């Protein structure tokens, strides 16, 4: 449909701008991280600016459907890249709101230009897919989904070497409580014991504890006053299924 | 009016099914690869061949419609992108990806560009990619990983479709265009390198689109229409300039070559792109001079050393690099070496005919002549692969030069009418591809294309990196992350962000990306030498003091120095058979014996030391 009244076109452009901005605000404020926001983001970042710029500038005879597809996406990518530079110069920077304003603004501007140039006639598109083609595409989609599902499945534990992490959180003074932690990324539950030593003397043994994969154990210990200028705090973690050797070890050395 | 010109989708729907089956086989190969099963490698190649070969056969034949050829090129390009996505579907794991996703993450955190990246300092000075990823992440509510996957997928679509349209504009033939776009995929970097989240990936796609617009513009007679193309071309080139240095320079080089050749080859119907060449050169120099001055100190030593290495090699002062041997000493198996070299031979064999017919048919087309001139330089640059410092330049240049190679080869194949000639030779009568002989010849040619594709992947991507390794492990209904990622997250949680931490290459990238630390790494800074020293001597302490290092992350596995495979879970079989080799205990325990060094974190292979109290370093 070709519009023939410039004022009407500008009013329509403003109406579209308000509509898109309204959708933007809706996506920003109401449906955060929703499918609507995703679709909005994809269209605004990867399609709309490029499509409207191409529509406004290029005559239909010089750009068919494949050309318009590649220009819609490619020019949108370019606008995003350059738009980031522009937004970087503003005090607000590259925020969701400023991105929305910029890309909606660019889109509306070129929508108006396209409308003024009467560049809205779209070439006739005949999809030309037969029922057989449709079935084949559905089959391809189904197989593709199976492939992606297989690819995204996490690795199975039997072949994997798990690990445990032990840590100590340094404190500012020798008298401050010291925090310890153990996290298990082993592939099965493991039972541990933790032994705390100061200058080689055991001062604390934490009760044995079991961690399942992904679990954490944390504790804070008040340490006795150490001999002045020469304190070496050591925490040794043992696996109870291999108690003969230290499994993990952390050290705070305060030798002066 | 009835026409003989085919118009439908032809084989495309059926080939979508074969591509999906190929992807399914690759997915099974990836599963086998994660578990370290020997079947993984053959399955991977089988899947690749199932994806590629039917498309090659169809694109070689002469009876497909333009829309079908476009569909084939797009589907094949995207299917090969999915191969890379399935390699690491949970997170970016390639070396450069961790650098660029950090940049995007910093943009989302600070709302501004030009944040520092200590590991590859040049990357924030080309903020195009991080800007696009940040835009999509912010607007779509996506994580940087998801946004990056979508952006690079969009870039892949732009790349293959732009190449098709560029080749079609030059040749006037959808068949040559489809074939050339297919042949471009034979370059060693297409499958993995050009599928990764990297500034070059995006820049190359935009550059291909720019070339298409320049070639279309040249045939536009109406001045106002040409101005419209100029405007769009400049928007795209502006994005290329701020996205990647080498791609920008390559595009400017292409532009000046086209401009020069317009003087000598064009009959005058086409319009020279000289004005675009001038503006592009000014924009390039302006960005280089005002924002990205560091580019010179980054690139010049690389090219200088490559040139010096080539001179030393030619004059016999350098023994040269052994082909197909990785930096870790791994030598590719014989079949891979034969395929890698054979693929070059196949491409080389097609060049004489391609160059001849390019000259015969397109000598008045400056774009075609330019591609004809550039194609042989690919083989000259291959010699750099024999040099220690130059092989990477040879490898990277293939992304640009294969645009020329692909066009010339496609012209040769189509103009020689190879499949049709085969039909005639065996007595099939009319040279029609619909004859079984013509189809057989197309299948043989498609086999050669597949062979060259496999050879390219072998030459461009080390064997250890082709198949995924265990990244996310499910145990007891929990998803576990690799040790390096956990350690990096721990640093942020317990030490805070922004600490200066020295580490090996792979863990430094994780520290930067997941721990938001100011990670320091690399041979240039002598970090590797410091980490692998046997004693905490004066040089080690000096390095720590010089770089203001507060913490050290030491990974005792030698593989941690490999940026590509150092970040994964170890497999039990590799630990048992010694494939995961460790440094000498003297090396990885040396900081345990030093006063005032705290051993804060012990994750088994990974240990984090606090060295702030080391001998007056505070």
């Amino acid at each position: 449909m070709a519009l023939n009244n410039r004022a009407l076109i500008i009013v329509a452009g403003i109406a579209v701008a308000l509509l898109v901005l309204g959708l933007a605000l809706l996506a920003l404020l109401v449906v955060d991280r929703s499918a609507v926001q995703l679709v909005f983001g994809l269209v605004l970042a990867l399609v709309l600016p490029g499509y409207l710029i191409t529509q406004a500038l290029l005559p239909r005879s010089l750009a068919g459907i494949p050309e318009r597809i590649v220009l819609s996406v490619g020019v949108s990518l370019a606008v995003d890249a350059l738009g980031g530079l522009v937004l970087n110069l503003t005090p607000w920077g590259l925020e969701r709101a400023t991105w929305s304003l910029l890309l909606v603004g660019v889109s509306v501007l070129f929508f108006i230009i396209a409308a003024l140039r009467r560049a809205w006639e779209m070439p006739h598109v005949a999809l030309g897919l037969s029922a057989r083609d449709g079935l084949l595409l559905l089959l391809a989609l189904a197989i593709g989904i199976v492939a992606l599902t297989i690819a995204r499945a996490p690795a199975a534990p039997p072949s994997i070497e798990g690990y445990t992490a032990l840590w100590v959180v340094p404190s500012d003074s020798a008298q401050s409580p010291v925090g310890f932690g153990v996290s298990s990324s082993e592939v099965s539950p493991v039972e541990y014991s933790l032994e705390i030593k100061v200058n080689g003397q055991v001062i604390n043994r934490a009760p044995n504890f079991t961690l399942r994969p992904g679990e954490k154990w944390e504790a804070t210990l008040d340490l006795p006053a150490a001999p002045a200028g020469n304190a070496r705090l050591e925490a040794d973690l043992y696996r109870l299924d291999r108690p003969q050797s230290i499994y993990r070890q952390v050290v705070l050395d305060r030798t002066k | 009016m009835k026409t003989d010109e085919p118009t439908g989708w032809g084989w495309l729907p059926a080939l979508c099914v074969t591509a999906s089956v190929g992807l399914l086989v690759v997915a099974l190969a990836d599963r086998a690869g994660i578990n370290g099963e020997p079947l993984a490698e053959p399955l991977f190649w089988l899947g690749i061949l199932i994806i590629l070969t039917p498309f090659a056969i169809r694109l070689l034949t002469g009876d497909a419609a333009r829309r079908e050829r476009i569909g084939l090129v797009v589907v094949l390009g995207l299917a090969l992108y999915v191969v890379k996505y399935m390699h690491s579907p949970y997170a970016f794991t390639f070396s450069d990806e961790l650098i660029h996703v950090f940049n995007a993450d910093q943009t989302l955190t600070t709302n501004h560009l030009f944040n520092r990246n200590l590991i590859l300092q040049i990357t924030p000075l080309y903020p195009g990619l991080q800007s696009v990823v940040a835009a999509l992440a912010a607007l779509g509510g996506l994580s940087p990983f998801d946004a990056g996957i979508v952006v690079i997928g969009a870039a892949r679509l732009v790349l293959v479709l732009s190449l098709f349209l560029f080749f079609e504009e030059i040749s006037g033939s959808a068949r040559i265009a489809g074939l050339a776009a297919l042949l471009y995929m034979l370059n060693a970097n297409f499958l993995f390198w050009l599928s990764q989240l990297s500034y070059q990936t995006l820049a190359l796609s935009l550059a291909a689109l720019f070339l298409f617009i320049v070639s279309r513009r040249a045939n536009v007679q109406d001045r106002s229409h040409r101005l419209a193309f100029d405007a769009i071309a400049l928007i795209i080139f502006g994005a290329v300039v701020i996205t990647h240095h080498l791609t920008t320079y390559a595009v400017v080089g292409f532009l000046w070559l086209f401009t020069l050749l317009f003087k000598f080859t064009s009959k005058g119907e086409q319009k020279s792109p000289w004005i675009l060449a001038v503006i592009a050169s000014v924009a390039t120099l302006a960005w280089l001079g005002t924002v990205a001055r560091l580019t010179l100190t980054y690139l010049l030593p690389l090219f200088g050393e490559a040139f010096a290495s080539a001179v030393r090699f030619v004059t016999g002062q350098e023994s040269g690099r052994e082909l197909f041997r990785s930096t870790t000493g791994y030598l590719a198996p014989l079949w891979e070496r034969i395929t890698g070299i054979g693929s070059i031979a196949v491409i080389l064999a097609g060049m004489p005919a391609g160059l001849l017919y390019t000259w015969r048919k397109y000598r008045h087309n400056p774009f075609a002549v330019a591609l004809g001139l550039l194609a042989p330089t690919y083989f000259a640059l291959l010699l750099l692969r024999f040099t220690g410092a130059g092989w990477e330049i040879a490898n990277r240049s293939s992304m640009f030069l294969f645009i020329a190679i692909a066009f010339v080869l496609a012209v040769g194949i189509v103009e020689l009418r190879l499949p049709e000639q085969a039909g005639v030779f065996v007595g099939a009568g009319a040279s029609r591809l619909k004859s079984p002989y013509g189809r057989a010849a197309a299948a043989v040619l498609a086999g050669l294309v597949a062979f060259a594709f496999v050879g390219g992947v072998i030459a461009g991507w080390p064997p250890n990196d082709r198949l995924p390794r265990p990244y996310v492990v499910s145990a007891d209904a929990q998803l576990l992350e690799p040790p390096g990622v956990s350690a990096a997250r721990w640093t942020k949680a317990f030490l805070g962000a922004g600490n200066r931490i020295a580490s090996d290459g792979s863990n430094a990238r994780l520290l930067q990306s997941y721990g938001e630390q100011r990670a320091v790494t690399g041979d240039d800074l002598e970090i590797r030498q410091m980490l692998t020293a046997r004693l905490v001597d004066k040089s080690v302490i000096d390095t720590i003091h010089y770089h203001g290092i507060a913490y050290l992350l030491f990974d005792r596995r030698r593989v941690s120095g490999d940026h590509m495979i150092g970040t994964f879970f170890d497999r039990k079989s590799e630990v048992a058979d010694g494939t995961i080799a460790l440094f000498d205990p003297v090396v990885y325990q040396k900081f345990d014996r030093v006063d005032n060094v705290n051993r804060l974190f012990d994750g088994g292979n990974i240990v984090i030391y606090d060295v702030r109290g080391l001998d007056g370093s505070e």
Side-chain angles (χ1 to χ4, degrees):
Chain A
M1 183 187 69
L3 297 171
N4 54 12
N5 184 316
R6 292 193 173 215
L8 183 62
I9 291 167
I10 293 170
V11 169
I14 293 168
V16 170
L18 291 173
L19 180 66
V20 178
L21 277 173
L23 284 173
L25 285 174
L26 188 73
L28 288 171
L29 303 175
V30 183
V31 285
D32 197 39
R33 293 190 64 81
S34 68
V36 173
Q37 190 192 352
L38 175 61
V39 172
F40 170 79
L42 286 171
V43 171
L44 195 53
L46 298 182
V47 180
L48 200 57
Y51 173 72
L52 290 170
I53 289 172
T54 309
Q55 198 72 12
L57 296 183
L58 286 189
R60 191 158 49 108
S61 59
L62 292 175
I65 292 174
E67 289 85 348
R68 291 202 185 270
I69 290 173
V70 76
L71 284 167
S72 296
V73 180
V75 174
S76 294
L77 290 170
V79 168
D80 294 342
L82 294 167
L85 272 190
V86 174
L87 294 181
N88 191 56
L89 298 173
T90 69
W92 309 281
L94 293 75
E95 289 182 335
R96 202 186 302 176
T98 53
W99 274 119
S100 298
L101 282 173
L102 177 78
L103 296 178
V104 168
V106 167
S107 300
V108 169
L109 175 67
F110 282 93
F111 168 81
I112 292 173
I113 294 173
L116 290 172
R117 295 188 63 189
R118 303 182 178 188
W120 278 116
E121 294 93 339
M122 286 293 295
H124 176 65
V125 182
L127 201 53
L129 281 175
S130 65
R132 177 180 160 276
D133 291 343
L135 283 175
L136 285 170
L137 289 176
L138 282 176
L139 178 62
L141 185 66
I143 297 170
I145 288 171
V146 172
L148 287 174
T149 306
I150 291 172
R152 284 184 57 84
S159 62
I160 306 301
E161 186 78 10
Y163 62 93
T164 296
L166 165 69
W167 67 82
V168 58
V169 183
S171 58
D172 294 335
S173 72
Q175 274 71 42
S176 302
V178 174
F180 295 95
V182 179
S183 74
S184 171
S185 293
E186 305 287 352
V187 295
S188 56
V190 174
E191 192 173 9
Y192 303 94
S193 72
L194 184 68
E195 204 171 77
I196 314 291
K197 297 176 185 169
V198 172
N199 293 336
Q201 299 295 313
V202 177
I203 61 156
N204 193 307
R205 275 198 183 88
N208 296 350
F209 54 95
T210 301
L211 295 181
R212 305 176 73 82
E215 283 187 339
K216 241 180 229 178
W217 173 94
E218 288 183 273
T220 304
L221 287 180
D222 285 316
L223 298 178
N230 186 19
R232 180 183 162 87
L233 171 73
E234 185 179 312
D236 298 336
L237 182 74
Y238 293 86
R239 278 178 72 136
L240 292 192
D241 56 345
R242 303 177 205 163
Q244 56 276 43
S245 61
I246 297 172
Y247 188 48
R248 301 284 184 260
Q249 183 181 63
V250 290
V251 175
L252 287 181
D253 190 299
R254 286 149 197 265
T255 305
K256 300 293 177 192
Chain B
M1 190 179 73
K2 199 170 177 181
T3 170
D4 287 341
E5 182 70 20
T7 56
W9 293 106
W11 292 16
L12 181 64
L15 295 194
C16 287
V17 176
T18 62
S20 293
V21 171
L23 288 175
L24 182 61
V25 175
V26 171
L28 294 171
D30 287 345
R31 300 309 305 166
I34 286 171
N35 295 326
E37 294 166 12
L39 193 62
E41 188 92 8
L43 264 182
F44 173 77
W45 291 121
L46 177 66
I48 292 291
L49 292 178
I50 292 174
I51 294 170
L52 183 78
T53 314
F55 283 81
I57 291 173
R58 186 58 180 155
L59 285 167
L60 278 161
T61 56
D63 58 351
R66 177 179 186 252
R67 66 154 51 172
E68 183 189 347
R69 293 186 191 280
I70 291 175
L72 290 169
V73 166
V74 168
V75 171
L76 179 59
L78 291 176
L80 293 173
Y81 175 61
V82 174
V83 170
K84 188 274 168 187
Y85 169 76
M86 294 196 306
H87 181 286
S88 32
Y90 279 104
F92 291 120
T93 58
F94 290 4
S95 173
D96 282 13
E97 290 183 322
L98 287 166
I99 298 216
H100 290 291
V101 78
F102 170 73
N103 289 340
D105 209 27
Q106 286 291 291
T107 300
L108 288 165
T109 305
T110 65
N111 291 334
H112 281 88
L113 303 172
F114 303 110
N115 301 289
R116 292 188 73 189
N117 185 317
L118 284 182
I119 296 179
L120 200 50
Q121 295 182 27
I122 192 139
T123 53
L125 303 179
Y126 290 89
L129 174 66
Q130 66 199 71
S131 197
V132 178
V133 174
L136 185 57
L139 291 168
L142 296 172
S143 69
F145 172 69
D146 290 336
I149 290 292
V150 174
V151 166
I152 299 303
R156 170 57 62 89
L157 170 73
V158 171
L159 176 67
V160 293
L161 195 45
S162 299
L163 286 176
F164 178 94
L165 294 169
F166 175 58
F167 293 134
E168 186 184 45
E169 191 66 33
I170 299 174
S171 66
S173 159
R175 186 176 175 201
I176 288 178
L179 196 49
L182 165 75
L183 295 172
Y184 179 78
M185 299 178 199
L186 306 188
N187 91 67
N189 295 297
F190 188 81
L191 184 63
F192 287 116
W193 181 274
L194 283 178
S195 299
Q196 66 173 342
L197 183 80
S198 164
Y199 53 177
Q200 185 162 11
T201 310
L202 176 62
L204 191 72
S205 299
L206 294 174
L209 181 56
F210 178 78
L211 291 180
F212 158 61
I213 291 170
V214 171
S215 63
R216 170 75 49 104
R217 168 203 182 276
N219 294 318
V220 173
Q221 300 303 320
D222 184 289
R223 190 167 175 273
S224 65
H225 290 165
R226 215 165 43 246
L227 280 175
F229 276 101
D230 287 344
I232 291 179
L234 290 175
I235 291 172
I236 292 167
F237 184 77
V240 175
V241 171
I242 66 163
T243 301
H244 188 244
H245 36 77
L246 277 180
T247 308
T248 303
Y249 308 147
V251 169
V252 171
F254 269 107
L255 270 179
W256 281 113
L257 183 59
F258 295 154
T259 302
L260 186 69
L261 289 170
F262 263 86
K263 283 273 182 203
F264 302 106
T265 61
S266 176
K267 281 183 167 175
E269 297 104 357
Q270 292 186 307
K271 302 297 174 191
S272 166
W274 69 268
I275 186 71
L276 289 177
V278 170
I279 296 173
S281 302
V282 170
T284 303
L285 290 173
W287 188 258
L288 183 66
T290 56
V291 177
R293 280 191 292 266
L294 186 65
T295 311
L296 293 177
T297 50
Y298 172 69
L299 288 180
L300 288 180
L302 290 178
F303 281 91
E305 185 51 38
F307 178 73
S309 186
V311 170
R312 286 196 300 271
F313 176 68
V314 170
T315 56
Q317 298 170 56
E318 185 178 299
S319 59
R321 172 179 165 269
E322 187 181 354
L323 296 179
F324 302 105
R325 187 180 286 282
S326 72
T327 49
T328 55
Y330 173 84
L331 181 64
L334 183 62
W335 80 267
E336 287 199 4
R337 283 176 273 160
I338 291 172
T339 309
I341 292 171
S343 69
I344 304 287
V346 166
I347 293 165
L348 186 60
M351 289 309 292
L355 289 170
L356 178 69
Y357 281 105
T358 300
W359 177 250
R360 271 193 188 174
K361 192 163 181 189
Y362 301 108
R363 64 177 173 275
H364 296 301
N365 184 326
F367 296 101
V369 174
L371 297 183
L373 286 173
L374 287 170
T377 59
Y378 167 74
F379 299 97
L381 283 177
L382 278 180
L383 293 176
L384 282 176
R385 281 187 176 269
F386 289 97
T387 66
W391 75 270
E392 193 173 358
I393 289 173
N395 190 33
R396 299 277 190 98
S397 65
S398 71
M399 287 175 253
F400 305 112
L401 295 176
F402 243 80
I403 296 174
I405 294 268
F407 178 76
V408 169
L409 281 179
V411 169
I413 291 170
V414 171
E415 293 301 324
L416 264 179
R417 301 170 62 80
L418 276 178
E420 293 93 331
Q421 293 293 354
V424 172
F425 181 71
V426 295
S431 57
R432 291 167 62 87
L433 277 168
K434 285 177 181 170
S435 77
Y437 306 106
R439 291 229 187 276
V444 170
L445 276 175
L448 287 174
V449 168
F451 176 75
F453 183 88
V454 171
V457 175
I458 287 170
W461 211 244
N464 281 339
D465 303 343
R466 286 177 214 143
L467 288 162
R469 304 175 73 82
Y471 188 83
V472 170
V473 173
S474 172
D476 213 20
Q478 294 290 317
L479 293 181
L480 308 177
E481 292 186 306
V485 175
S486 293
R489 289 195 198 279
W490 179 87
T491 62
K492 186 180 172 189
F494 289 92
L495 306 178
N499 295 292
R500 221 168 160 86
I501 306 184
S503 186
D504 56 80
S506 56
N507 282 296
R509 282 160 175 76
L510 299 176
L511 283 167
Q512 186 172 260
S513 292
Y514 294 95
E516 294 182 23
Q517 305 298 340
R518 298 167 65 202
V520 192
T521 190
D523 287 358
D524 295 346
L525 307 180
E526 298 191 333
I527 300 301
R528 191 179 64 84
Q529 296 86 328
M530 181 265 287
L531 289 171
T532 55
R534 297 178 69 82
L535 289 171
V536 183
D537 55 16
K538 185 172 182 308
S539 70
V540 167
I541 294 171
D542 285 350
T543 302
I544 289 171
H545 290 174
Y546 181 79
H547 294 295
I549 292 164
Y551 301 95
L552 295 174
L553 184 150
F554 199 99
D555 189 335
R556 63 181 182 168
R557 300 169 311 146
R558 287 182 180 274
V559 74
S560 63
D562 186 326
H563 307 170
M564 294 296 292
I565 59 172
T567 58
F568 298 91
F569 275 93
D570 296 331
R571 296 189 198 101
K572 282 181 177 165
S573 57
E574 289 178 323
V575 174
D577 67 14
T579 306
I580 301 293
L582 304 181
F583 287 107
D584 188 325
V586 174
V587 170
Y588 64 76
Q589 291 173 352
K590 63 178 178 281
F591 285 102
D592 291 341
R593 303 183 294 270
V594 179
D595 289 345
N596 291 316
V597 170
N598 296 322
R599 184 181 159 108
L600 299 181
F601 177 97
D602 182 354
N605 286 326
I606 292 178
V607 174
I608 297 174
Y609 296 97
D610 174 357
V611 294
R612 289 174 299 171
L614 179 63
D615 199 20
S617 67
E618 271 182 323

